[in-house]
Amino acid sequence: LNKIEIRKASLELRNIWVLGNEYLQKAEPWAIFKNDVAKAKMILGFSFCLIDFYSLISEPFIPESCKKIRNHFDFSLNAKWPKNFEIFFKKKLINYNITPSEIFFPKITDEEKERYQKEFSGL
């Protein structure tokens, strides 16, 4: 694990997730929708592409969660690394029905946090 720098890789993965969240927060499709439906759809479409991409790059770390996400959003369960990112991020989500999802990442209680720290601290 030291050789593959798992801590560094997981930190970079988290940073990528943060960027996507910041994009959505700043783009505010919920506010833009009132005045510019086309732009709001473009933002949401790109956001779905990010979810698809994030489920690909996160799969080595959280495979079961990524499988749930890919299944819920009807993304290919056998997806491979995109050969052309421009095409990947420009794909159209036509007539996509959004349904409420289960909570993919439930909040960890303080008791669980303490137990996980003891169990996985390596001490």
Side-chain angles (χ1 to χ4, degrees):
L1 290 177
N2 288 334
K3 194 173 188 178
I4 63 171
E5 300 184 57
I6 195 140
R7 285 184 190 263
K8 186 176 178 182
S10 60
L11 179 61
E12 289 303 320
L13 181 61
R14 185 185 178 285
N15 289 338
I16 293 169
W17 293 340
V18 168
L19 287 173
N21 189 46
E22 287 175 355
Y23 165 75
L24 195 56
Q25 293 292 325
K26 288 179 182 176
E28 297 183 319
W30 52 87
I32 292 172
F33 184 79
K34 296 173 189 172
N35 298 320
D36 193 342
V37 174
K39 185 174 181 181
K41 285 182 178 182
M42 184 273 306
I43 293 167
L44 289 173
F46 182 73
S47 298
F48 278 102
C49 290
L50 285 177
I51 294 168
D52 191 1
F53 180 67
Y54 288 1
S55 70
L56 288 173
I57 63 173
S58 303
E59 198 270 336
F61 292 88
I62 50 173
E64 289 303 313
S65 295
C66 290
K67 184 178 179 180
K68 286 181 189 177
I69 291 167
R70 298 190 72 70
N71 188 48
H72 174 76
F73 289 105
D74 203 24
F75 299 144
S76 171
L77 293 175
N78 298 319
K80 299 197 180 348
W81 192 255
K83 291 181 181 180
N84 185 320
F85 282 98
E86 186 174 347
I87 292 171
F88 181 86
F89 281 103
K90 286 186 178 179
K91 63 185 165 198
K92 304 289 183 210
L93 299 171
I94 300 168
N95 297 323
Y96 191 83
N97 293 317
I98 300 173
T99 57
S101 68
E102 63 182 272
I103 296 174
F104 293 119
F105 304 100
K107 184 174 181 168
I108 297 173
T109 65
D110 290 336
E111 293 81 22
E112 289 173 315
K113 179 181 173 185
E114 289 177 23
R115 190 185 74 204
Y116 293 148
Q117 283 178 327
K118 288 177 185 173
E119 188 175 343
F120 298 109
S121 69
L123 301 175

